[in-house]
Amino acid sequence: MTNTTMHLARSSPRGAGEISPSKRRKRTGQGRAAALFLLPAGLGFAIFYFYPTVRGLILSFTNTTTLQSGSFIGIDNYTKAFSDPLFLNALGVTFLYVVINIVTQTLFALALAFMLHRVAKAAFWRSFVLLPWLVPGVTAALLWMWLLDPSLGLVNGIFDSLGWAQLPFFAAPESAITTVAMVNTWRYTGYVAILLLAGMESIPGGLYEAAALDGAGEWRMFRSITVPLLRPILTLVLIICMVGSVQIFDTIAVATEGGPLNSTNVLYYYIFQKAFTNFDLGYASAMAVVVLAILAVLTLLQFKLSRGNESDLS
């Protein structure tokens, strides 16, 4: 190569895809900083989520108890689960609770979020709707146990003063799970509304202005603009509500303990009983794995059917 050619090669601009050494070092430094910030969350996930999941999966194939380690028994625990009437009852009770809770939470939260978005825009109201969510689960359960007590509760006292029939609420098998669902709807509607409100804030305001100029009312704008453009966020919220509903435990443990007549004996409470009352860790782990599999399938189906990865804004 001649001196002229070497000089031209050195003086020619870099290719479009080539990264300078300074930029490469900068990106490397940013990657290391990002990894350092993610390390605590990654360690927490590995210790408190990933390891217990793997450990539970291993235990589900054994007859391990709280008092002694067990031996490998294959899929016997899974076979036992699907022939256990109490487990099947817990599946049905949990499904009923999830349906009631998701429907009521989503409808109330949508209405509340739309009002916060279109009418009551002050920060005070956005903070106010979160107050029930800030109440600890045990405290909320004790509060509603007192309010809904069949004999001494404030609600039945009001019904009695109005000449209405008193309701058993937690005390009757026909109404217990519905009462639990409504208590948790009261607790979480504000939180869900704030999530939906964040999605509504991303919708361009010009769409509402154009619709108003065309004579559309608030209800028409809600149906034709808000709900269609809110689909990705709504899908996420429904998945969060579904997973959270399946995990219901604290209200059941405090208010009903699975009764009356197993009418509120949901999956998590039944798994807890088997693991820490009957000390059957292997069987409890198998039921937990079944719940995990059901949640994974339902989440994927819900995401696909609702086209949660698509947005009409794009």
Side-chain angles (χ1 to χ4, degrees), residues 7-237:
H7 175 73
L8 290 174
R10 286 195 296 268
S11 61
S12 62
R14 295 180 179 272
E18 188 176 351
I19 302 175
S20 64
S22 61
K23 289 184 177 180
R24 188 179 294 112
R25 286 194 297 270
K26 183 179 179 180
R27 291 188 179 183
T28 303
Q30 290 175 340
R32 290 174 179 172
L36 185 62
F37 281 112
L38 290 173
L39 182 61
L43 286 175
F45 177 81
I47 295 172
F48 297 107
Y49 287 92
F50 182 74
Y51 172 74
T53 301
V54 175
R55 179 66 174 165
L57 182 62
I58 294 172
L59 287 176
S60 70
F61 295 102
T62 69
N63 55 3
T64 301
T65 67
T66 305
L67 303 177
Q68 62 182 9
S69 59
S71 57
F72 180 79
I73 59 173
I75 62 171
D76 287 358
N77 284 327
Y78 294 93
T79 305
K80 178 181 176 182
F82 288 103
S83 60
D84 182 356
L86 288 178
F87 176 71
L88 297 178
N89 174 75
L91 274 175
V93 170
T94 304
F95 176 77
L96 177 61
Y97 170 81
V98 168
V99 170
I100 297 173
N101 201 44
I102 287 181
V103 171
T104 54
Q105 259 187 48
T106 304
L107 292 178
F108 289 143
L110 266 175
L112 186 57
F114 189 73
M115 287 190 291
L116 291 173
H117 179 55
R118 301 291 298 164
V119 182
K121 298 185 178 182
F124 167 78
W125 294 112
R126 301 186 181 192
S127 303
F128 181 77
V129 299
L130 278 177
L131 289 180
W133 179 62
L134 298 176
V135 178
V138 173
T139 304
L142 291 172
L143 171 66
W144 283 102
M145 280 180 65
W146 173 71
L147 290 173
L148 302 177
D149 185 88
S151 303
L152 305 174
L154 177 63
V155 175
N156 273 321
I158 295 174
F159 286 174
D160 187 56
S161 65
L162 295 173
W164 298 351
Q166 294 186 350
L167 299 177
F169 294 112
F170 291 117
E174 298 80 13
S175 60
I177 195 64
T178 303
T179 304
V180 172
M182 297 311 298
V183 168
N184 284 286
T185 294
W186 170 80
R187 282 188 63 201
Y188 291 105
T189 293
Y191 171 73
V192 176
I194 294 299
L195 293 179
L196 293 174
L197 177 62
M200 291 179 185
E201 296 287 352
S202 66
I203 300 174
L207 296 176
Y208 293 103
E209 295 173 4
L213 290 175
D214 288 338
E218 292 293 338
W219 172 242
R220 179 62 186 274
M221 286 190 282
F222 177 75
R223 289 189 296 111
S224 302
I225 298 176
T226 304
V227 173
L229 298 182
L230 200 62
R231 186 174 61 246
I233 300 298
L234 191 56
T235 300
L236 174 64
V237 166

